[in-house]
Amino acid sequence: MLFTRPSASVRALRLPAAIDPLHRVHVPCDLRPLLTHGAGEVDAASVGMSADGVERIWRSAVRLYRHGVYPALAVCIRRNGRVVLDRSIGWSRGGGPGDAQDAARVLATPRTPFCIFSASKAITATVVHLLAEQGRLDLDDRVAAYLPEFARPQFDEITIDHVLSHRAGVPFIPRDLMDLDRLGDREFLLDALSGMRLRNRPGSSLSYHAVSGGFILGEVVQAVTGKYIRTVLDEQILAPLAFRWTNYGAAPVEHELIAHDYATGPRPLPPLSTAMVRALGLPVPKLALISRDPRFLNALVPAANVVSTANELSRFMDLLRAGGTLDGVPILTARTIRRALVERSYHEFDRTLGVPLRHASGFMLGARTLGLYGPDTDEAFGHLGFTNVMAWADPRRELAVAIMTNGKPVLGPHLPALWALTRRIGLEAPKVADPELFGS
């Protein structure tokens, strides 16, 4: 079997002893002490929205929070580059299922960083597209041209674009790849990647690469530049734009600032739970705990361990919405962004997730009727993160949005409220008649 028991270091992540059977968060009737506003919200009317509309969005977010599946929820929305909503509610630490009643609680604020899990893929994809713009690689290049481990039958057909668009045929990670004690061991990582099993011919079908694709792309970036992908990201994107967070992991002295994640909601059962373990390498309860482990935060996991605030993540998406130039600083060209958003899968059935999705090269696309980012969002793009982290840009509405949570429900009665929040955001931000898509 490709997947067996987790490694000893992963098994050592013990779950809390006393957990509500429904894995809910205690939500007080009076939420005012748990609310925090950011300092930079502008007059909504100045960007074609209304103050009442922004408040309706926030009330929708509060209704979602009342479902009790998130200890903390943070939302930041930019319209035409200006922040119209930047707020948080709840506890970043100490308020989750299994925490003792007398546990020290830390209030979440708009400055609280969260691990964004799979939304990291949008960050990684941006780095790869930037290198392609610079002529340092081509998306149609075969991975084997950079990684000798892929120079074997069928594997040598995998291209960089196959990995970006989840069509490489290697969606499931090898046994023990998420061994926390060895995440920083590059030789171990390359050996594990060489042991992956091809599930289908490269390019033939869509199958979400939850973790594996990030490691492959990270190694390609290092082969091309001679630098870790976190260094390339910092030097070419984050530092020029003065980002405080939004890189892979965090320095040890910053770990205590990061929100703790909690497994919440009904536990998934087979076959869903089995499929998740095969793709993610861990069961959901331990996957939630892994994000607070220093070994994970010190490591480089390009598909899963970017740490950011809602404000910074929405700002990153605004960089892409605005055509690659932000605050007068050019990072990449509008042409590169347009190429990154060419549709690779049109509502194709995803063999890993079991749902039909639209994918581009590294980004999840919205849809006209039933989309990830609400209805009538067929030109929106972004990414989801385990489980209800969301980041997207909607050029037609001049929006850049980030929703951060530290509760990790897979399924549950909160989902209609989450959908209602994304729908409300779209309703309150009307489409612009003739937006200049992705810059000039």
Side-chain angles (χ1 to χ4, degrees):
M1 292 290 291
L2 184 60
F3 299 95
T4 59
R5 294 189 306 162
S7 65
S9 66
V10 171
R11 293 198 302 272
L13 289 169
R14 300 302 180 190
L15 302 179
I19 296 182
D20 180 329
L22 296 180
H23 312 284
R24 295 168 299 189
V25 175
H26 172 67
V27 179
C29 294
D30 185 2
L31 294 177
R32 287 174 296 179
L34 305 186
L35 297 176
T36 309
H37 284 58
E41 294 184 1
V42 303
D43 177 13
S46 68
V47 289
M49 296 176 66
S50 71
D52 288 343
V54 170
E55 293 307 317
R56 283 191 289 269
I57 291 172
W58 183 241
R59 286 197 295 271
S60 183
V62 171
R63 283 193 293 272
L64 172 60
Y65 180 78
R66 285 195 177 279
H67 278 265
V69 292
Y70 313 123
L73 171 69
V75 181
C76 186
I77 301 174
R78 280 175 159 80
R79 167 85 160 182
N80 194 20
R82 304 181 72 188
V83 176
V84 296
L85 189 152
D86 187 15
R87 305 177 192 177
S88 64
I89 180 172
W91 305 104
S92 69
R93 294 187 176 200
D99 284 337
Q101 290 186 351
D102 60 351
R105 294 194 174 192
V106 179
L107 191 67
T109 77
R111 295 183 299 276
T112 298
F114 294 75
C115 178
I116 67 173
F117 288 95
S118 282
S120 306
K121 293 177 176 65
I123 311 296
T124 297
T126 302
V127 174
V128 173
H129 287 292
L130 179 58
L131 294 177
E133 174 183 305
Q134 295 170 352
R136 305 179 76 174
L137 58 81
D138 191 289
L139 300 188
D140 292 328
D141 287 345
R142 298 190 177 193
V143 172
Y146 304 96
L147 304 182
E149 293 79 8
F150 280 67
R152 49 195 172 107
Q154 290 193 294
F155 272 75
D156 60 3
E157 299 178 20
I158 298 174
T159 69
I160 295 172
D161 193 60
H162 286 154
V163 181
L164 285 168
S165 57
H166 303 277
R167 308 184 76 87
V170 286
F172 302 141
I173 61 175
R175 181 181 60 197
D176 292 336
L177 182 56
M178 293 301 291
D179 185 332
L180 296 180
D181 290 324
R182 305 188 71 179
L183 271 180
D185 184 340
R186 188 161 179 253
E187 183 178 347
F188 165 73
L189 170 63
L190 290 171
D191 183 63
L193 292 178
S194 69
M196 286 191 297
R197 177 182 173 188
L198 202 66
R199 310 298 298 189
N200 47 267
R201 182 169 180 174
S204 64
S205 61
L206 173 66
S207 191
Y208 185 67
H209 291 45
V211 179
S212 58
F215 283 125
I216 296 169
L217 294 172
E219 289 302 315
V220 168
V221 169
Q222 183 157 353
V224 168
T225 66
K227 301 177 181 179
Y228 288 117
I229 189 173
R230 66 156 56 100
T231 303
V232 178
L233 171 60
D234 181 63
E235 291 179 348
Q236 302 211 28
I237 300 178
L238 302 182
L241 295 174
F243 273 74
R244 164 72 174 81
W245 299 94
T246 321
N247 211 325
Y248 306 100
V253 296
E254 298 172 326
H255 291 182
E256 64 180 15
L257 303 176
I258 301 170
H260 277 175
D261 288 312
Y262 298 85
T264 59
R267 292 290 183 263
L269 300 174
L272 176 60
S273 61
T274 304
M276 293 186 71
V277 171
R278 294 177 73 189
L280 301 170
L282 292 172
V284 169
K286 290 187 175 180
L287 187 63
L289 290 180
I290 199 176
S291 66
R292 64 176 77 170
D293 192 295
R295 295 167 294 179
F296 180 76
L297 293 173
N298 290 336
L300 178 52
V301 188
N305 79 333
V306 165
V307 172
S308 187
T309 64
N311 187 297
E312 281 205 1
L313 187 56
S314 73
R315 186 168 178 246
F316 191 98
M317 296 309 301
D318 206 46
L319 165 69
L320 303 178
R321 178 205 65 82
T325 297
L326 194 63
D327 299 333
V329 180
I331 300 297
L332 66 170
T333 67
R335 179 182 181 184
T336 295
I337 297 171
R338 286 193 293 267
R339 181 182 181 186
L341 299 179
V342 172
E343 189 175 70
R344 294 291 189 258
S345 303
Y346 178 73
H347 293 302
E348 184 177 344
F349 183 81
D350 189 304
R351 294 188 176 189
T352 302
L353 300 179
V355 293
L357 292 172
R358 293 179 68 221
H359 272 284
S361 296
F363 299 93
M364 291 178 164
L365 303 178
R368 183 171 298 279
T369 304
L370 188 63
L372 296 172
Y373 318 118
D376 195 23
T377 56
D378 49 308
E379 291 177 318
F381 61 94
H383 219 285
L384 302 183
F386 172 73
T387 57
N388 295 159
V389 173
M390 302 179 71
W392 76 92
D394 188 338
R396 287 291 176 187
R397 292 180 171 85
E398 297 185 333
L399 282 179
V401 182
I403 299 173
M404 308 292 240
T405 70
N406 63 342
K408 303 301 167 188
V410 177
L411 298 173
H414 70 287
L415 290 176
L418 179 61
W419 165 255
L421 173 58
T422 60
R423 176 178 178 272
R424 177 54 56 186
I425 292 171
L427 289 174
E428 302 299 345
K431 287 186 174 182
V432 178
D434 294 302
E436 188 178 5
L437 294 181
F438 312 121
S440 58

